[in-house]
Amino acid sequence: MRKPFIQKYTVNKPSVSYSLTIGFLLITVFLGVGVGTVQVSFKEMVAIFGNHLLPLSFQTDSMLDNIVMNIRLPRVMLAGLVGASLSLAGAAFQGLLRNPLADPYTLGVSSGASVGAVIVIFFQLSLPILGLLTLPIASIMTAFITIFIVLFFAKKIEPSMKVETIILTGIIFSSFLGAFLSLIIALSGQELRQIIGWLLGSVSMRGWNYVWIILPFFLIGAFLLVLNTRELNAMSFGEEQAQHLGVNVQKRKQIVLIAGSLLTGAAVAVSGTIGFVGLVIPHLTRLLWGPDHKHLLPLSTFVGAGFLILADLVARTVIQPAELPIGVITALIGAPVFAVILMRRRLKGRG
C-alpha cells in the first residue's frame, strides 16, 4: 500500500512532522487572537505579548490589551487545551481498543461528565469554597466515577477485561446516562437554555480560571500516556502479542483508560460536549504520519489543539455578533471528513 504523500516524506523525519504541526498550531493561535469584531494586527499582538511576557515596554492601546489578554487569549488557550485533550485521549483509546472508530466518548466518560454538569445547572448548586468552579469540579468527579464503575463492571463480567467487554460496558452506561440527561432536560424550566447550550459545547466567556482548571489534568493525563507509548504500540497488535512482549496488559490498560478519561472529563467539564475531535484528528494524524504512538500522541495533540482553535474562530465569527456552539462546527466539519476517510478505507479494503 502506498503511503500518503505527507507520510512518505515525513515518517522518517519526525522533525518535519513536528515543524508542520507546531507551525499550524502557532498560526491558529495568532488567528484566534487577532481575528474578531475588533481586529488586532500581528505587530500589536507582539507588542502586547512583549509587555506581559518579557521585560519590555512597548506602547499599546489599553482596550486592545484588555481584549487580547483577558478575553481572546484565555479563550484560545482553553480551546487549544480542550482540543489537545480530546485528540490525545482519542489517539490513546484507538490504539488501546485497536479500533479507529473509538473516541473519548466510547466508554461513557463524556456522558458521566455531562451528568455532573447538568445536575449542577439544574439544581443551581454552588459549594461555598468552590463557588463558580463547582460545575467543572463536579463534572470531573462524575467522569472519574463513571470510568471506575465501567472498569469495575467490566472486570466483574470478565476478569481479563477484554476490549470487547470494556466497549460494551461503556456503551451500556453511556446509554443509561444519556437517558438520565434526557430526563433532566425534560424536567427543566428556566435552566433548559443553559443546559442545552452547555451540552452543545462552548469555550466562550470562561476566562483564565478555566484554563488553570484543565491545565493540571491535561499535564497529568498527557504524562501518563507518554510513559505508555511503548505499551500502546504493543497492545495495538493484540493483547496476547503484548503479553508475549512482556507487557502487563491489564495494568497498562487501566492506566491508559484512567489517563484518557481524565483528559476527556476535564475537557468536557470546562467546555461541554464537543464531538468528533477525538475521533477524526487521531485518525487523520495516523493516516498522515503513521501509527507509532511515540509520535502519534504529540502530533495528535498539536493538530487537535489547532483544529479546535480554528473551529472556535469560525463559531464566533461566521454569524457575528452572534455565536454558534463550537460543537456544531466540529460536527459539521468532522462528520464529512470522517465519512470520506471511512469510504477511502473501505475502497482500499476492497482493492
Side-chain angles (χ1 to χ4, degrees):
M1 184 184 296
R2 294 180 61 186
K3 297 177 181 177
F5 180 82
I6 296 179
Q7 183 182 347
K8 179 180 179 181
Y9 290 99
T10 61
V11 70
N12 296 319
K13 295 181 179 180
S15 59
V16 177
S17 305
Y18 285 100
S19 297
L20 289 172
T21 53
I22 293 174
F24 167 69
L25 176 57
L26 291 175
I27 290 171
T28 61
V29 169
F30 280 109
L31 286 174
V33 174
V35 178
T37 305
V38 177
Q39 302 291 329
V40 183
S41 68
F42 180 77
K43 181 179 179 180
E44 290 169 329
M45 270 188 280
V46 171
I48 292 170
F49 290 155
N51 288 343
H52 285 270
L53 303 177
L54 299 171
L56 302 176
S57 56
F58 293 115
Q59 185 175 359
T60 58
D61 186 282
S62 59
M63 183 189 73
L64 288 182
D65 189 288
N66 181 63
I67 290 173
V68 170
M69 298 305 300
N70 296 322
I71 299 176
R72 289 191 188 165
L73 185 59
R75 179 169 182 159
V76 166
M77 292 288 290
L78 185 61
L81 286 170
V82 170
S85 297
L86 294 175
S87 299
L88 185 57
F93 284 148
Q94 288 174 10
L96 177 67
L97 303 178
R98 305 188 302 281
N99 189 339
L101 300 180
D103 75 339
Y105 301 93
T106 303
L107 302 178
V109 182
S110 172
S111 298
S114 298
V115 166
V118 168
I119 288 175
V120 170
I121 296 171
F122 182 76
F123 291 104
Q124 297 294 306
L125 299 178
S126 180
L127 299 178
I129 298 176
L130 297 177
L132 294 175
L133 303 182
T134 301
L135 188 146
I137 296 301
S139 299
I140 292 172
M141 290 177 62
T142 51
F144 264 113
I145 291 171
T146 302
I147 187 58
F148 281 123
I149 291 175
V150 168
L151 292 176
F152 174 78
F153 274 92
K155 193 170 184 179
K156 285 293 183 181
I157 294 170
E158 192 169 17
S160 62
M161 293 177 66
K162 288 187 177 180
V163 170
E164 294 81 1
T165 305
I166 296 173
I167 292 177
L168 288 174
T169 306
I171 291 172
I172 291 170
F173 275 91
S174 182
S175 300
F176 172 77
L177 294 174
F180 184 74
L181 286 172
S182 299
L183 175 63
I184 295 179
I185 291 173
L187 297 174
S188 298
Q190 296 179 352
E191 304 88 4
L192 179 60
R193 184 178 179 85
Q194 186 180 359
I195 291 174
I196 296 297
W198 189 89
L199 289 174
L200 290 174
S202 175
V203 291
S204 174
M205 303 303 292
R206 298 295 198 266
W208 286 108
N209 282 341
Y210 281 72
V211 175
W212 303 132
I213 287 172
I214 189 176
L215 183 59
F217 294 101
F218 168 74
L219 294 176
I220 294 170
F223 178 72
L224 289 174
L225 291 180
V226 168
L227 287 180
N228 287 276
T229 53
R230 187 182 71 85
E231 288 77 9
L232 279 170
N233 283 337
M235 286 189 285
S236 64
F237 293 103
E239 295 182 11
E240 292 184 2
Q241 182 68 24
Q243 286 179 337
H244 290 318
L245 294 174
V247 176
N248 187 336
V249 173
Q250 189 168 339
K251 178 182 176 182
R252 296 297 176 175
K253 188 187 299 181
Q254 291 176 348
I255 292 174
V256 172
L257 288 172
I258 290 172
S261 301
L262 175 65
L263 291 167
T264 305
V268 172
V270 298
S271 66
T273 305
I274 299 175
F276 285 99
V277 180
L279 184 67
V280 173
I281 299 302
H283 193 61
L284 187 62
T285 306
R286 187 181 293 104
L287 286 176
L288 293 176
W289 291 298
D292 185 354
H293 288 84
K294 179 181 177 181
H295 302 300
L296 176 63
L297 294 184
L299 290 173
S300 296
T301 301
F302 298 138
V303 176
F307 170 75
L308 203 62
I309 292 171
L310 279 183
D312 180 56
L313 176 61
V314 173
R316 64 182 171 84
T317 58
V318 69
I319 56 171
Q320 285 182 341
E323 288 190 16
L324 290 173
I326 192 172
V328 173
I329 302 299
T330 58
L332 288 174
I333 297 174
V337 170
F338 189 71
V340 171
I341 292 173
L342 192 59
M343 288 177 64
R344 290 186 62 187
R345 284 177 58 87
R346 296 278 298 196
L347 292 174
K348 287 183 179 179
R350 291 176 181 176

